[in-house]
Amino acid sequence: MKKQVVIIGSGFSSLAASCYLAKAGFEVTILEKNSGLGGRASKWSNDGFKFDMGPTWYWMPDIFEKFFADFDKVPKDYYQLEKLSPAYQVFFDRDDSITISDKIEEIYQVFENEEEGSSEYLKKFLESAKYNYDVAINGLVYKPGNSIFELITKETISNVSQFFKSISSDIRKNIKSHKLIQILEFPVLFLGAKPSKTPSFYNFMNHADFGLGTWHPKGGMYEVVNGCVKLAEELGVKIRTHQVVSEIVVKNSIIKGVVVNNQFEEADIVLSGADYNHTETLLDKKYRMYSQNYWEKRTFAPSALLFYVGFDKKLKNVAHHSLFFDTDFNQHAFDIYDNPKWPDKPLFYASFPSMTDDTFAPEHKEAGTFLIPLAPGIEDTPELRELYFDKIISRLEDITGNKIKDSILFKKSYCINDFISDYNSFKGNAYGLANTLTQTAFLRPKIKSKKVKNLFFTGQLTVPGPGVPPALISGKIASQLIINQFKEILSVNLKPLGSH
């Protein structure tokens, strides 16, 4: 008889894990409390416009390829990709911006034009970034985070110091231009920590940026969710929405099932892709691995204030991905990590997907998504949301020359309170735990419970960390641990992690 796996939540890590487990011979059911699938990678539609409410960047295309290859598929079986050109644009002031091309030689020239000699450093920096990317993707990020020895390889030993110094210190020793420093430090923000607290090893994110490029799935990131859902269903996974899990039932330290919508449902294995802290509150205290004090002391990646806006005209002088770095980066970071409060002058990100994908907005109109990184756990009110919307729209108008306040058809906001209510997110964080030195690899919360047999966790609070590609990897790691535990009764085995 097949073993029954219940997966809580339907984010990328849960969807990925469900595919591997179903392929391996388990009976898999996903329970999603919301009406839509994809977890934080949800969507919203209004008056002919649509929006990716969560991730909007498609980086590391090779990770998606590896995921689908494990099932003898390719991404284009489920969605179509195009490489963005330009990849993105960074605004520093009125008439002062840098456009990042999709071609590396043009990027070198941009650097050289800004600071003489910087292109030579960039070439060496990216050689190191590519090497670290290969080391990480071909092994390290697929480790389950059980021991420091997972990080000890001949490749890491040869440059062990990069785990104990920051990417920020490396860059600032060699680059003087404030603009170029911000461009090189920007990619590690996807890891949810300050560049000054992020180990140098993570410069592999710069290879993901300049080396692999920025891509766009036709129809948006939610088409990737749809692809994962379709694959899961093809493999026999059952998916149910509007399913609120209120208890994980344990007897004598062994999983027995869950209480969902006030009904007991039997399970041999429970895998939670929901918020880790919330998941443990579904257990009796004696079965929890981490105390509330533990979570309070963690460094969380930021939360965010997001706006989804419909404009009644096309915008000019902006790119599909636009970064507004016209204020003090260090001060904004301080207001997130060191003295949590609403930033006086926030940096922000804007996405205008309808510039390259006409499925996002009606003809002659524009869809815009705006994001301000915030400290998790701070006050969130309608008045603060409105104040900050006015701040960023005024700055966008001033910097780009777009007069758009009178062209707004509608807007929807999303912030800390929504992350809590929709995803049970600890303090309303948006991206999980930051990948700081003391929260990397084996120092992150464990995927396998040490107190409850057959209870597992996956997602951005476990290994490898925040982001969509790491979520796919986390799903694979968690599923492999489950498969290894039950391999003697399985008729189908997964390929070894990271192999194809």
Side-chain angles (χ1 to χ4, degrees):
M1 184 174 176
K2 288 187 175 182
K3 291 291 183 180
Q4 306 286 324
V5 181
V6 164
I7 299 179
I8 304 172
S10 67
F12 276 112
S13 58
S14 294
L15 290 170
S18 76
C19 293
Y20 289 113
L21 292 169
K23 179 186 175 184
F26 290 91
E27 191 77 36
V28 184
T29 301
I30 291 176
L31 303 176
E32 169 57 55
K33 86 177 188 73
N34 296 315
S35 59
L37 303 175
R40 284 166 167 80
S42 58
K43 67 174 180 178
W44 180 61
S45 301
N46 188 53
D47 289 345
F49 293 80
K50 70 178 182 181
F51 303 87
D52 283 316
M53 294 189 72
T56 56
W57 293 76
Y58 191 102
W59 271 10
M60 303 184 181
D62 54 324
I63 300 298
F64 296 87
E65 290 165 5
K66 287 180 179 182
F67 168 69
F68 285 106
D70 278 335
F71 307 93
D72 299 318
K73 303 286 187 180
V74 292
K76 68 179 180 180
D77 291 333
Y78 299 96
Y79 53 89
Q80 301 301 311
L81 282 176
E82 63 175 316
K83 194 176 186 184
L84 292 182
S85 180
Y88 54 90
Q89 190 169 1
V90 186
F91 294 88
F92 299 98
D93 208 338
R94 189 185 305 178
D95 301 321
D96 185 7
S97 68
I98 289 179
T99 299
I100 299 300
S101 168
D102 66 327
K103 299 178 178 63
I104 190 62
E105 292 301 326
E106 293 180 8
I107 296 173
Y108 290 144
Q109 191 58 54
V110 163
F111 268 64
E112 195 62 25
N113 291 344
E114 175 65 25
E115 180 180 327
E116 186 176 353
S118 63
S119 63
E120 289 305 310
Y121 166 71
L122 180 60
K123 290 174 184 176
K124 294 176 183 177
F125 179 77
L126 290 180
E127 286 175 7
S128 167
K130 184 181 185 307
Y131 180 81
N132 282 343
Y133 189 90
D134 292 340
V135 169
I137 300 308
N138 291 328
L140 294 186
V141 297
Y142 286 92
K143 302 292 186 182
N146 290 331
S147 165
I148 189 174
F149 295 106
E150 294 172 0
L151 299 179
I152 300 175
T153 68
K154 63 180 181 181
E155 291 86 2
T156 57
I157 288 175
S158 65
N159 193 9
V160 70
S161 65
Q162 64 181 335
F163 288 93
F164 300 98
K165 58 182 181 178
S166 75
I167 191 169
S168 181
S169 63
D170 282 354
I171 291 169
R172 290 167 186 260
K173 273 193 300 188
N174 296 279
I175 296 287
K176 304 306 177 190
S177 165
H178 180 65
K179 298 175 193 175
L180 299 185
I181 287 171
Q182 286 189 302
I183 289 172
L184 287 179
E185 289 184 346
F186 146 69
V188 301
L189 297 180
F190 285 98
L191 302 173
K194 291 195 295 186
S196 61
K197 297 291 186 180
T198 302
S200 298
F201 177 75
Y202 285 103
N203 70 0
F204 66 69
M205 291 297 294
N206 294 94
H207 176 67
D209 180 1
F210 291 167
L212 300 177
T214 302
W215 298 75
H216 173 72
K218 180 71 172 178
M221 286 296 290
Y222 202 75
E223 291 305 306
V224 185
V225 173
N226 285 336
C228 293
V229 169
K230 184 178 179 183
L231 174 60
E233 291 177 336
E234 290 169 351
L235 292 163
V237 177
K238 300 183 181 76
I239 303 176
R240 291 155 37 197
T241 56
H242 301 287
Q243 304 291 300
V244 178
V245 176
S246 56
E247 183 183 353
I248 297 173
V249 181
V250 179
K251 186 175 181 180
N252 298 326
S253 301
I254 302 172
I255 282 289
K256 292 300 177 182
V258 297
V259 175
V260 53
N261 292 353
N262 299 317
Q263 298 291 320
F264 174 73
E265 186 160 326
E266 189 175 358
D268 299 300
I269 302 118
V270 171
L271 170 63
S272 179
D275 179 271
Y276 205 123
N277 170 262
H278 169 72
T279 301
E280 289 213 310
T281 68
L282 304 179
L283 295 161
D284 285 345
K285 280 190 175 181
K286 64 182 178 180
Y287 293 129
R288 300 174 192 175
M289 287 196 295
Y290 303 103
S291 67
Q292 199 67 18
N293 187 51
Y294 169 88
W295 294 110
E296 291 287 349
K297 290 183 176 181
R298 297 309 94 189
T299 299
F300 275 83
S303 186
L305 170 57
L306 292 129
F307 296 99
Y308 311 99
V309 186
F311 298 99
D312 69 1
K313 67 178 184 181
K314 302 299 288 184
L315 305 190
K316 60 183 181 180
N317 303 329
V318 290
H320 181 131
H321 294 300
S322 297
L323 300 162
F324 290 82
F325 287 176
D326 54 309
T327 60
D328 189 338
F329 176 96
N330 291 325
Q331 182 59 51
H332 190 163
F334 184 82
D335 292 339
I336 293 174
Y337 296 102
D338 302 302
N339 182 33
K341 70 181 188 70
W342 282 82
D344 292 328
K345 297 179 180 179
L347 286 76
F348 68 97
Y349 156 69
S351 172
F352 304 101
S354 48
M355 295 188 69
T356 52
D357 187 338
D358 58 13
T359 69
F360 276 84
E363 191 175 7
H364 306 305
K365 293 179 171 59
E366 205 85 89
T369 297
F370 300 86
L371 182 152
I372 301 173
L374 295 175
I378 60 175
E379 181 184 22
D380 171 17
T381 67
E383 293 77 18
L384 281 165
R385 296 186 189 196
E386 195 63 30
L387 172 66
Y388 278 79
F389 181 74
D390 187 65
K391 283 188 178 191
I392 63 174
I393 292 299
S394 296
R395 279 166 50 196
L396 185 146
E397 286 189 327
D398 181 56
I399 291 169
T400 68
N402 283 287
K403 297 302 177 186
I404 57 176
K405 286 184 179 179
D406 293 335
S407 299
I408 295 173
L409 296 170
F410 62 84
K411 74 175 186 292
K412 175 185 176 73
S413 67
Y414 199 94
C415 198
I416 291 168
N417 293 342
D418 302 299
F419 283 106
I420 293 171
S421 63
D422 288 348
Y423 308 118
N424 298 305
S425 172
F426 186 75
K427 291 187 175 181
N429 79 84
Y431 307 107
L433 279 180
N435 261 341
T436 60
L437 175 60
T438 57
Q439 295 181 170
T440 291
F442 68 98
L443 296 173
R444 297 179 72 81
K446 301 305 180 188
I447 282 181
K448 183 177 180 178
S449 173
K450 294 181 179 179
K451 292 192 174 184
V452 180
K453 187 177 181 181
N454 301 339
L455 173 62
F456 299 81
F457 302 82
T458 188
Q460 59 190 5
L461 288 161
T462 62
V463 291
V468 177
L472 294 175
I473 293 169
S474 182
K476 184 170 187 176
I477 295 170
S479 62
Q480 186 68 77
L481 289 176
I482 295 170
I483 290 163
N484 287 345
Q485 186 164 311
F486 291 89
K487 60 186 175 183
E488 71 279 1
I489 63 170
L490 296 173
S491 59
V492 181
N493 288 315
L494 262 184
K495 302 170 187 177
L497 286 173
S499 72
H500 300 284

